[in-house]
Amino acid sequence: MPPALGTRRVVLVSGKGGVGKTTVSVALALSAARRGQRVLLCETQGSTRVPAIFGRPSKGYEPMQVATNLDTLSITPAAAIEEYVLLQLHFHRLYRMVFRNRIMGPFVDAVPGLHDLVQLGKVWFAERETVAGRPRWDLVVVDAPATGHGLTMLGAPRAMMDLTTSGPFYENAKLIADLVEDEARTALLLVSTAEEMPLRETVDLYSRLGNMRRLVGGAVLNEVHPSPVPSPAEWSAARGALLETGGGDVHAAVDLVDDELRAVSRQADARSRLAALGTVAELPFQFHRDLARADYDSFATAIEGLL
Ligand SMILES: Nc1ncnc2c1ncn2[C@@H]1O[C@H](COP(=O)(O)OP(=O)(O)OP(=O)(O)O)[C@@H](O)[C@H]1O
Ligand SMILES: [Mg+2]
């Protein structure tokens, strides 16, 4: 049994595009914050969706409190590089000379994985930030890029170590690798819906993780539909009788129930495939789709078993 997510310092949330990574990141962060952990939720790639969920304008890279025990910020590669260089050089003018000129700019864009590495570098930095001698945040939740890119990001510190083999870049990359490859401190949480494509991508990602598989601390099956009828067995008898009563509306209603029942059976299949990854939490599909704060609060309750 891998350690529960609540004992880790960093949780990276990934899955196919659009499956609910941001939704799950918010739910997990809220759940941990409710339990009294001080949580930082990091969006990546410059995404700034989280503050709006809490009815606030984004402050970008600067941490801002959005709920009790919950801060958020948005990491962009450019802001992370700037912070990193300023920390190294302690000198704004030098930064502008070196990084904003035409020599270094293309270099930063061209080094493979540097954007991913510096974003993880910010996570590493947040993890070790202290206030009055204790960690500023107990848990850093990262709304990470989608599956393929997420995997590249996770491998970015190793890639930099292989590229440089020694020197300050190597040493910094090693510090980050030590954190993100340590299953006692870092977890991966994989999100999927019951649709075949996202599910396959998630299971595929899991198999491609290789020895990093040990980081996986569970999975979330999102957008779970309730069964449209109390007893599918009784439905199969009743639907024949219903269809005999005729009428276009009856046919449409029967089709709808059949569709929903197929969704429910896909979910059963998804549940068992995700179970191979570890503990699975489920979030219900909210038919109104336009999620409100109350939905995130109920998702936070639904997901608390992972902590
Ligand atoms: N359980 C749910 N019920 C209803 N709507 C949902 C549910 N989960 C997510 N959504 C909606 O689906 C959309 C996609 O969710 P979300 O933004 O969390 O996905 P994502 O994986 O972060 O997407 P991206 O890859 O674009 O970052 C959003 O509009 C969100 O509000
Ligand atoms: Mg997202």
Side-chain angles (χ1 to χ4, degrees), residues 2-280:
L5 293 186
T7 66
R8 322 273 183 117
R9 302 274 303 141
V10 175
V11 177
L12 299 150
V13 179
S14 191
K16 187 173 166 50
V19 293
K21 295 180 295 297
T22 302
T23 305
V24 166
S25 301
V26 171
L28 186 75
L30 268 175
S31 193
R34 268 194 210 160
R35 287 160 45 122
Q37 289 187 285
R38 284 155 310 147
V39 184
L40 176 68
L41 170 51
C42 298
E43 292 188 81
T44 54
Q45 308 284 106
S47 178
T48 53
R49 282 199 42 221
V50 170
I53 290 169
F54 296 90
R56 311 275 173 82
S58 171
K59 286 195 184 169
Y61 198 64
E62 196 188 317
M64 62 180 288
Q65 186 176 358
V66 288
T68 308
N69 290 332
L70 177 56
D71 297 340
T72 188
L73 60 80
S74 164
I75 306 177
T76 62
I81 288 173
E82 178 163 351
E83 185 180 40
Y84 171 73
V85 174
L86 290 178
L87 284 169
Q88 300 288 315
L89 302 178
H90 309 286
F91 210 83
H92 277 263
R93 212 160 67 84
L94 197 55
Y95 168 78
R96 281 196 295 274
M97 273 167 51
V98 177
F99 269 74
R100 295 243 171 100
N101 74 15
R102 288 172 187 277
I103 302 166
M104 280 310 269
F107 165 76
V108 170
D109 289 337
V111 174
L114 190 57
H115 283 191
D116 292 331
L117 181 63
V118 292
Q119 293 190 88
L120 271 187
K122 174 62 177 173
V123 172
W124 172 83
F125 192 63
E127 189 272 337
R128 61 202 312 273
E129 228 178 300
T130 55
V131 173
R134 60 190 281 239
R136 181 169 179 189
W137 293 290
D138 301 307
L139 179 69
V140 181
V141 176
V142 184
D143 182 4
T147 33
H149 187 179
L151 192 62
T152 319
M153 181 180 260
L154 201 57
R158 270 292 142 197
M160 178 59 76
M161 289 165 71
D162 292 345
L163 196 71
T164 49
T165 66
S166 68
F169 274 117
Y170 176 91
E171 294 305 329
N172 284 323
K174 184 169 187 313
L175 289 172
I176 301 167
D178 286 346
L179 171 65
V180 301
E181 294 174 9
D182 177 4
E183 71 270 30
R185 289 187 293 162
T186 298
L188 257 179
L189 178 62
L190 299 179
V191 185
S192 184
T193 61
E195 298 297 322
E196 184 56 29
M197 284 304 287
L199 199 56
R200 202 182 294 169
E201 218 173 284
T202 301
V203 173
D204 191 50
L205 170 74
Y206 182 73
S207 62
R208 280 159 59 208
L209 276 170
N211 68 355
M212 302 254 239
R213 216 172 284 162
R214 66 187 194 283
L215 295 172
V216 176
V220 176
L221 181 59
N222 189 24
E223 299 192 350
V224 172
H225 289 237
S227 177
V229 287
S231 158
E234 281 174 28
W235 168 247
S236 71
R239 75 185 288 284
L242 260 177
L243 284 173
E244 270 174 29
T245 67
D249 289 351
V250 172
H251 277 265
V254 168
D255 284 348
L256 201 63
V257 174
D258 284 344
D259 275 352
E260 284 295 309
L261 275 173
R262 272 192 288 275
V264 167
S265 106
R266 272 200 306 275
Q267 281 164 196
D269 173 51
R271 208 168 272 139
S272 64
R273 283 158 75 183
L274 289 177
L277 278 56
T279 312
V280 183

